[in-house]
Amino acid sequence: MSARARVLLLNAALGPLDYRVPEGMVAEPGSIIVAPLGPRQMLGVVWEADRMRSAGEVGDNRLRNLIGAVDAPPIPAALRRLIEWTADYYLAPPAAVLRMALASTSALEGARTLTEYRATGALPQRMTSKREQALARIGERQGLIRELALAAEVSDAVIRGLVSTGALEAVEVSIDSPFAPPDPDFSIPALSTDQSAAAATLVAAVEARAFAPILLDGVTGSGKTEVYFEAIAQAIRSGQQSLVLLPEIALTEPFLKRFTARFGAMPIVWHSDLRQSQRRRAWRAIASGEARVTVGARSALFLPYRNLALIVVDEAHETSFKQEEGVHYHARDVAVMRGRFEQCPVVLASATPAIETRQQVVLGRYTEVKLPGRYGVAQLPTITALDLIAEPPQRGRWLAPRLVAAIDETLERGEQVLLFLNRRGYAPLTLCRTCGHRFQCPNCTAWMVEHRLVRRIACHHCGHIEKVPEKCPECGNEDTLVACGPGVERIADEAALLWPEAKRAVITSDTISSPAKAAEFVHRMEARDIDIVIGTQLVTKGYHFPNLTLVGVIDADLGLSGGDLRAAERTFQQVSQVAGRAGRSAKPGHVYIQTHDPKAAVMQALVGGDAAAFYEAETEARREANAPPFGRYAAIIISSEDKAAADDTARAIKRSAPRVDDMHVYGPAPAPLAMLRGRHRFRLLVHAKRSIDIQQILRDWLGAIDWPGKVRVTVDVDPYSFL
Ligand code: ADP
Ligand code: ZN
């Protein structure tokens, strides 16, 4: 009898294929193998034949032999179930999900060392501008040829040239050296009564080794991290693994510091900025079970943990847990599913839980654990709304007089100030004073944003960049370009004008481009080398700066326009989070919110601190509209470089929409960003009752239609971004 194996190959365009298992080779479900595909070889994973239909039935006599097994632990059954579930729920090819589990191809190769390169300090005899650029950008960095070339924005050949001249040298890196184990008893904090009670619930859940979704609902500064650290300590004691998901890699550094202080060793870090050698080492440690605690961005969710005992999703309300490319999954929701397949607790930690999560508590599906007050002597900050109509800033300025006075006093006391505006760059719109010409991105339906620091205008959607022209491209007049509205750089200019002595820092994804930059920022804040921080949403989460006592929200109305169903909720969360940075220690904190509409329910809730009433009203509004979590949405996005083709396809899809009770299909309409990265986009929105199997309907519906190859159709189940 020849053994037959169904294999899911790492190619999203292919369904599962069958192969023959050669004699002497082990190929059980989960085994990572190499298979022939045409003239090539490809990685894949053996699957249970009854759980995944083969893409093409092939007789035993025509099967090709598998080439070999990879020397790595198999993909565990719980992860195989998660891959199936994710592919099914989000209508994604299973191979695209599998790719996230096998996220380190070098981890699957046999080598135990990799050759990396670093600068020697010697300069090449013949210096070219490319070589100069490469050496300048490489600096202290070490990495593979390819990684250095990417970092330096030069070709591989330039890097190889530098190696042959002796300016770079080879370093053999052992990739499987063990990680230091964390010590659960290294430094146990004295918990408050509330914290102890909360920690006891989480620890018991870890001990129970059963699926248990838990909402850890604690105000900012209540010590949620200390509490879930106790659950992690319990998992370490029992020899099992924990995973902590963070919404931004910029938050990794502060997390690592706290983790090391508590456990005496570093956790395993997983994010997109890792070098290949680090990736391989982490992947293998996770797969072997050696990695006790992993902290990472959402992609860490699909790694092959061997014995997971706990998943924590920190700042679980953050919408950055939703992936907007490739597989459109929401890491918070997938984390809960993983906990179910692994039979372990999942802790969602947040000061401002999403309405979806609260509703699960109401329905009794999630347990709620509360931390009602800040830890120690710290009090929640006072919050004041500043009515921009009644007390406007001076002409051409953005800070209202009362906020200016508060900043004066704070700086006077030697304390730190945070000004929050969720807009990168200098101004959101630049136009010509003479002819009114506006700078639009050639690839997107979006205005170009001026970045004065680097003298460029940039599209924040596709990354298109141009120099700021000296004269208007339309009317040719010089010096007539004016900036409209503020971005963080413009607020920084105003702060420089008002407080020339104060040390300022602008914190955005432009300036905090790596974990190292984030660490430098934290260090400067702690050393009081910064008096005023001006930042985007990047500074609203997780940070703990005891000397920061004043927060100014420049434009609290910003998130409310645009008709997004979660706009008010998101504004509440964002402002609460940024307000939560103020007064986290002995010194009291104050928050000023600049708004045109201080009477809006969300502003009143923020000022009055009445979250419960706000959530209740929002939840009722959602219930009435049958919006999530009471009803469900799915978006079908049709895009093409050829506008007519996209339009035709969108209409054809609409025409073939099945008639289903309690389901409506809206559109097609041009997406708000009607053109993105040179592609024209149309959107259909499917709205249905919760009880309807929207995935099955979409599969049947879209499966029966053909569209031209130049048109792309993507489905976004439970969409968050309506752009
Ligand atoms: P949250 O995540 O809920 O906003 P944190 O976990 O960041 O709060 O805690 C706020 C601050 O209080 C941190 O500096 C933390 O180290 C400190 N803290 C919280 N609980 C304790 C404790 N039991 N002992 C000592 N420090 C604590
Ligand atoms: Zn663009």
Side-chain angles (χ1 to χ4, degrees):
M1 189 192 86
S2 83
R4 198 180 167 108
R6 183 141 306 162
V7 174
L8 185 55
L9 291 172
L10 265 194
N11 179 335
L14 290 175
L17 296 175
D18 285 357
Y19 289 91
R20 182 185 302 118
V21 184
E23 206 133 321
M25 180 178 161
V26 181
E28 288 160 358
S31 297
I32 308 174
I33 52 81
V34 181
L37 185 72
R40 292 185 303 142
Q41 303 190 349
M42 190 169 278
L43 278 173
V45 170
V46 178
W47 223 266
E48 291 90 337
D50 56 350
R51 300 197 66 101
M52 210 160 295
R53 236 186 309 149
S54 152
E57 289 298 333
V58 173
D60 276 352
N61 54 342
R62 289 180 43 228
L63 287 182
R64 294 182 73 183
N65 273 346
L66 288 176
I67 292 169
V70 168
D71 175 26
I75 297 296
L79 178 51
R80 296 202 298 278
R81 301 297 82 82
L82 186 79
I83 291 169
E84 291 164 1
W85 182 86
T86 307
D88 232 44
Y89 189 88
Y90 294 104
L91 286 104
V97 187
L98 177 64
R99 183 174 292 284
M100 300 193 278
L102 300 183
S104 166
T105 40
S106 64
L108 305 173
E109 286 156 11
R112 307 240 150 224
T113 61
L114 273 181
T115 309
E116 295 187 334
Y117 295 85
R118 66 176 174 215
T120 56
L123 293 179
Q125 275 190 343
R126 196 173 57 84
M127 188 59 108
T128 64
S129 64
K130 284 284 177 212
R131 287 179 167 183
E132 208 171 318
Q133 170 182 333
L135 288 174
R137 303 238 180 126
I138 287 169
E140 305 277 297
R141 204 184 274 263
Q142 177 173 319
L144 305 179
I145 299 255
R146 191 84 272 275
E147 288 166 347
L148 294 183
L150 277 174
E153 294 184 58
V154 297
S155 67
D156 292 11
V158 173
I159 303 292
R160 281 204 200 88
L162 285 169
V163 174
S164 65
T165 65
L168 295 179
E169 66 181 353
V171 194
E172 289 300 312
V173 185
S174 160
I175 27 204
D176 294 331
S177 52
F179 289 95
D183 173 2
D185 303 315
F186 183 78
S187 169
I188 301 179
L191 297 182
S192 71
T193 316
D194 284 339
Q195 288 179 330
S196 295
T201 308
L202 302 195
V203 167
V206 171
E207 282 175 328
R209 301 190 180 203
F211 173 53
I214 300 170
L215 167 61
L216 177 57
D217 180 359
V219 298
T220 55
S222 57
K224 294 185 286 296
T225 317
E226 310 298 332
V227 168
Y228 72 66
F229 274 180
E230 292 316 296
I232 292 177
Q234 178 58 33
I236 298 173
R237 285 190 192 105
S238 62
Q240 293 183 279
Q241 296 176 294
S242 308
L243 163 64
V244 180
L245 293 180
L246 300 177
E248 307 260 2
I249 59 173
L251 290 178
T252 314
E253 284 304 319
F255 181 89
L256 295 183
K257 262 177 92 175
R258 288 180 69 173
F259 187 91
T260 313
R262 171 66 183 82
F263 295 105
M266 292 272 267
I268 280 71
V269 178
W270 185 272
H271 54 67
S272 56
D273 209 38
L274 293 185
R275 309 200 310 263
Q276 258 199 53
S277 57
Q278 297 171 312
R279 226 165 231 276
R280 170 189 158 114
R281 188 175 166 219
W283 193 93
R284 292 199 75 102
I286 286 166
S288 74
E290 178 209 336
R292 287 286 176 252
V293 185
T294 303
V295 57
R298 55 180 182 241
S299 57
L301 191 51
F302 290 96
L303 297 176
Y305 303 93
R306 196 185 181 99
N307 54 16
L308 204 52
L310 171 69
I311 303 173
V312 177
V313 183
D314 206 348
E315 313 285 357
H317 59 277
E318 280 294 332
T319 46
S320 53
F321 282 118
K322 177 77 197 307
Q323 168 131 318
E324 298 291 0
E325 281 169 1
V327 184
H328 286 59
Y329 69 97
H330 196 307
R332 177 197 64 208
D333 298 343
V334 179
V336 172
M337 287 314 292
R338 179 134 202 191
R340 194 163 177 168
F341 293 125
E342 302 280 353
Q343 287 296 305
C344 77
V346 182
V347 175
L348 308 182
S350 174
T352 51
I355 287 179
E356 283 83 350
T357 307
R358 287 179 187 271
Q359 190 57 23
Q360 298 287 358
V361 173
V362 170
L363 295 176
R365 295 196 190 127
Y366 293 8
T367 308
E368 185 175 35
V369 175
K370 276 196 173 228
L371 290 174
R374 279 196 162 174
Y375 172 74
V377 293
Q379 294 299 311
L380 284 169
T382 64
I383 303 185
T384 312
L386 296 180
D387 185 337
L388 286 172
I389 296 172
E391 38 184 328
Q394 281 179 30
R395 247 185 98 78
R397 301 272 179 87
W398 311 99
L399 306 179
R402 261 206 285 168
L403 177 55
V404 172
I407 297 173
D408 274 335
E409 288 164 22
T410 308
L411 295 176
E412 197 79 10
R413 287 196 302 272
E415 294 165 8
Q416 291 163 309
V417 175
L418 165 60
L419 298 178
F420 167 65
L421 176 62
N422 207 16
R423 251 196 209 136
R424 293 154 54 206
Y426 185 83
L429 172 66
T430 304
L431 53 76
C432 169
R433 195 181 349 221
T434 314
C435 74
H437 175 78
R438 296 169 167 205
F439 291 86
Q440 190 179 358
C441 174
N443 313 316
C444 308
T445 316
W447 305 125
M448 304 274 284
V449 175
E450 183 181 359
H451 287 244
R452 225 164 249 200
L453 291 177
V454 289
R455 297 213 196 85
R456 295 282 188 280
I457 50 176
C459 170
H460 285 176
H461 298 285
C462 71
H464 177 81
I465 291 182
E466 289 173 22
K467 275 195 181 146
V468 177
E470 277 157 23
K471 48 189 182 183
C472 173
E474 188 79 26
C475 67
N477 280 333
E478 284 180 33
D479 288 330
T480 68
L481 300 183
V482 284
C484 297
V488 281
E489 289 180 9
R490 195 165 196 181
I491 302 299
D493 274 7
E494 185 168 337
L497 203 72
L498 292 169
W499 302 282
E501 307 287 298
K503 282 169 278 183
R504 293 167 309 274
V506 173
I507 301 298
T508 69
S509 54
D510 300 312
T511 60
I512 303 290
S513 50
S514 69
K517 289 266 173 62
E520 185 191 318
F521 164 61
V522 171
H523 183 77
R524 286 185 60 204
M525 278 300 279
E526 285 170 350
R528 302 204 188 173
D529 187 31
I530 299 173
D531 301 307
I532 306 178
V533 187
I534 303 105
T536 57
Q537 48 85 26
L538 216 59
V539 286
T540 63
K541 294 160 244 184
Y543 290 114
H544 180 76
F545 301 123
N547 197 45
L548 197 165
T549 58
L550 178 68
V551 167
V553 178
I554 305 300
D555 184 354
D557 311 333
L558 194 58
L560 288 174
S561 55
D564 183 326
L565 82 102
R566 295 182 182 83
E569 182 190 11
R570 199 132 62 197
T571 298
F572 183 83
Q573 290 166 333
Q574 203 162 54
V575 176
S576 304
Q577 287 294 332
V578 67
R581 299 314 109 202
R584 291 171 65 92
S585 202
K587 299 169 190 160
H590 302 285
V591 179
Y592 289 88
I593 306 176
Q594 300 195 142
T595 170
H596 287 93
D597 191 5
K599 295 233 154 47
V602 49
M603 302 303 160
Q604 300 257 318
L606 286 163
V607 172
D610 196 355
F614 171 73
Y615 271 106
E616 205 170 299
E618 276 293 300
T619 306
E620 273 324 297
R622 297 259 192 107
R623 193 195 304 274
E624 229 140 81
N626 242 317
F630 305 101
R632 39 200 335 208
Y633 285 109
I636 307 174
I637 296 143
I638 300 103
S639 72
S640 176
E641 285 175 13
D642 178 345
K643 187 174 179 188
D647 195 4
D648 288 348
T649 304
R651 284 166 202 275
I653 292 178
K654 169 68 176 253
R655 270 196 306 276
S656 59
R659 277 180 217 291
V660 178
D661 285 344
D662 298 318
M663 184 183 102
H664 290 277
V665 182
Y666 299 97
L673 269 168
M675 188 164 82
L676 181 66
R677 297 187 188 98
R679 301 180 69 87
H680 299 270
R681 304 158 77 236
F682 293 87
R683 201 184 63 200
L684 291 161
L685 194 60
V686 185
H687 183 198
K689 262 204 175 152
R690 210 132 204 107
S691 54
I692 287 180
D693 185 351
I694 206 169
Q695 283 88 355
Q696 193 51 48
I697 291 173
L698 281 163
R699 256 191 300 271
D700 293 344
W701 173 9
L702 296 177
I705 315 175
D706 282 324
W707 50 80
K710 59 187 168 184
V711 177
R712 195 187 301 152
V713 177
T714 39
V715 177
D716 188 358
V717 177
D718 303 340
Y720 273 68
S721 157
F722 284 82
L723 293 179

